[in-house]
Amino acid sequence: MPTPPLAGGTAGPTHLRPLLDTVLTALHDGATRRNGPLPAGGPETVSQTLHHTTTPLIPDHGTGPHHALRTLVTALAEGAADPAHPHCAAHLHTPPLALAAAADLAASALNPSMDSWDQAPAASALEKTLTTALAAEIYPHTQHPDALITTGGTEANQLALLLARERHGPVQTICAANAHHSITRAAWLLGLPRPIVIPAPTGVMDTTALRDTLIRTQGPLLVTATAGTTDTGQIDPLTDIADLTTTHNAELHIDAAYGGPLLFSPTHRHALRSLHRAHSVTLDLHKLGWQPASAGILAVPHRHDLAPLHHHAPYLNAHDDTEAGLPDLLGRSLRTTRRPDALKIAVTLQALGRDGLADLIDRTIAAAHQLADLIDEHPALDLHDRPTISTVLFRPTNTDDTTVATIRRTLLDRGQAVLGRARTSNGLWLKATLLNPHTTPDDLRQLLTLVTHTHAQTATTEGSTPR
């Protein structure tokens, strides 16, 4: 077998073109075979099918690039949970924009490594431009805000707690019961005290409980609020929380991994009022930003807030190189080798502009309200609450938790719909997290029909089972 060609250089595109044609055909064929939001049959069936198709994965003699791509990409597409399907709506799992995926291909072909300038000359400059621009969106009133690109909300939240620890020592974190699990995990990883958890009886942080906790707890303190919870999409009362942290000399981190992009929508940005008052903010553009994972952001109001992340490795940022003007990139992440995720984000922002991104956000939120209206009008379904962003909780009327869980798993096993689950103070609910701006009212009606039919079948089966 001849030496395989490379993706880079002037010859790289010539080698990539026929391979991409094979990949695109395989993606189409796999999606056609799947014919739904995910493969039917459940985990065992999917594993058996994939094993049968791809064995042996490491043959003695290679099958060649086109055969391997056709086999594995088709198998992966056939067995995928496809967020581009309107009935794949369980999680904050976005269908990426085609232009962002195309940009990601360019990033993979060029393969800059973002740990030293001599591996990523233009990519490092683009990343600096992008992070400065995004930081200015969050902190429009400070002179030198800054941001880092992360693997997602989890890493961004961990960095926020790390920076607070480096400023103040063993900081005590305070969060609400609605906070993302990464807050508690970050405290554990960093050797910080276990977070104090404030009640969230209505789905958002109880500010009276927060005030009482701030009064009786010794500092240093870091309050972490949430702008877009994973269960309901609700947004904590950010202004009230910011006022309390100011009064009681606590710092504030806002996890806006889900809701942060509302900043780009003139219609909805009011929901993030006081975001700029936080000492750090998490965004995650592979949620309501339609980026291929990963595309996380941690923003801070002042460039010097990131100084504790500085790290010296002579082979990457020698002092004399830095003094001679080569940018020092090691302080831009806790990772060493990392991808140029800035490219796909920058391409999306430039291609769509503020109005284009706002349109996607507004369309998605409008679809969530359409779904809520359809549920409200349906005599056999209950709506938990009106959506704050694009998450809608619902369930069949007079249904217990076991039946709700069974409906969800039945739809998964049949490959008909991917719905999440969320538990509130009044039980278990089906969760639809809408992130597809192409979703139509007919798609939503069909989704509800699947749920009600599955519920009727489940009830019939349970009723016929001897007790």
Side-chain angles (χ1 to χ4, degrees), residues 143-363:
Q143 191 171 3
H144 298 295
D146 204 351
L148 303 175
I149 294 181
T150 71
T151 54
T154 293
E155 183 189 350
N157 287 338
Q158 290 172 353
L159 282 172
L161 268 66
L162 172 62
L163 291 171
R165 186 193 71 178
E166 293 306 293
R167 286 193 296 269
H168 303 294
V171 64
Q172 173 64 64
T173 304
I174 301 171
C175 64
N178 63 358
H180 193 262
H181 64 83
S182 60
I183 300 296
T184 300
R185 176 172 280 191
W188 168 68
L189 283 170
L190 296 168
L192 297 174
R194 186 172 182 83
I196 297 171
V197 179
I198 300 298
T202 64
V204 297
M205 183 184 288
D206 184 328
T207 53
T208 300
L210 174 62
R211 182 198 62 201
D212 294 343
T213 300
L214 289 170
I215 290 171
R216 67 172 182 263
T217 307
Q218 295 296 312
L221 304 176
L222 175 69
V223 175
T224 66
T226 307
T229 64
T230 53
D231 274 351
T232 62
Q234 289 174 275
I235 296 174
D236 284 338
L238 302 181
T239 298
D240 293 342
I241 293 169
D243 289 345
L244 285 168
T245 57
T246 299
T247 299
H248 295 281
N249 198 32
E251 289 196 351
L252 173 62
H253 169 66
I254 297 178
D255 177 3
Y258 180 9
L262 296 181
L263 281 172
F264 291 99
S265 168
T267 304
H268 298 290
R269 68 164 62 106
H270 65 87
L272 299 180
R273 192 177 295 115
S274 294
L275 187 71
H276 66 282
R277 297 174 64 184
H279 292 80
S280 53
V281 173
T282 288
L283 266 72
D284 198 346
L285 296 174
H286 61 251
K287 294 182 172 62
L288 203 63
W290 295 279
Q291 298 300 294
S294 54
I297 303 289
L298 177 72
V300 293
H302 306 288
R303 189 178 301 156
H304 60 73
D305 292 335
L306 300 176
L309 299 179
H310 173 75
H311 182 68
H312 182 61
Y315 78 103
L316 292 173
N317 59 347
H319 291 309
D320 57 324
D321 279 348
T322 303
E323 291 170 1
L326 293 183
D328 181 353
L329 304 184
L330 277 189
R332 306 298 298 175
S333 178
L334 292 182
R335 294 169 285 146
T336 304
T337 302
R338 58 189 179 89
R339 301 183 77 251
D341 289 316
L343 176 60
K344 61 194 175 191
I345 300 171
V347 166
T348 300
L349 294 175
Q350 188 168 93
L352 299 183
R354 294 178 185 278
D355 55 352
L357 193 57
D359 181 64
L360 290 179
I361 292 167
D362 295 349
R363 284 175 180 271

